[in-house]
Amino acid sequence: MPEFIEITVDQLRIARRLEQSCGYLELGMPRQALDNIDGLSTGGALEGALQYVRGQALRMQEKYGDAVAPLEAAAGLLPEGASRHVWLALAECHRANSASDLAANALALARGAKLPLG
């Protein structure tokens, strides 16, 4: 028996805008990606993806300090397998901000290290 996923029209609209913003990022157009998701907030299953796109767009604009918070949020919200790219982007931002300890930690997490408990 097939399972159905119930989504709202709002979630569908957000997913569509996220997809469009990913296209902008692929074309090297981070400002347009940010403009496209400006004001969006999901608070749900798409929040990790939204924060990742926001952080990547800021990183591409070399706004490394501004990119850290959304990328950290994305790393905590996305599944472990999907978060590798987030940790790599965070490592780049920390390195650019001269935070070498944080950059080394982010690289270790990208390579599969586990976060300490507590």
Side-chain angles (χ1 to χ4, degrees):
M1 181 158 96
E3 292 185 32
F4 294 95
I5 298 173
E6 199 171 310
I7 61 171
T8 65
V9 173
D10 228 23
Q11 291 169 321
L12 184 60
R13 180 181 58 83
I14 290 168
R16 186 171 291 137
R17 288 191 40 198
L18 278 170
E19 183 179 21
Q20 292 166 348
S21 292
C22 287
Y24 285 130
L25 292 179
E26 289 175 10
L27 294 171
M29 302 167 68
R31 184 179 50 77
Q32 289 83 350
L34 282 173
D35 289 347
N36 193 47
I37 60 171
D38 187 40
L40 290 183
S41 175
T42 70
L46 296 174
E47 188 65 28
L50 177 62
Q51 293 302 322
Y52 176 68
V53 169
R54 184 172 285 127
Q56 284 290 65
L58 291 166
R59 183 190 62 78
M60 288 175 72
Q61 291 180 321
E62 298 180 0
K63 296 179 179 178
Y64 301 111
D66 293 337
V68 169
L71 288 172
E72 284 178 342
L77 293 168
L78 292 173
E80 188 176 326
S83 65
R84 181 176 188 270
H85 296 286
V86 181
W87 291 115
L88 290 172
L90 263 170
E92 180 184 344
C93 292
H94 288 315
R95 184 180 45 79
N97 288 328
S98 299
S100 55
D101 288 348
L102 293 174
N105 288 341
L107 279 176
L109 291 166
R111 291 183 177 131
K114 302 294 179 198
L115 287 170
L117 298 176

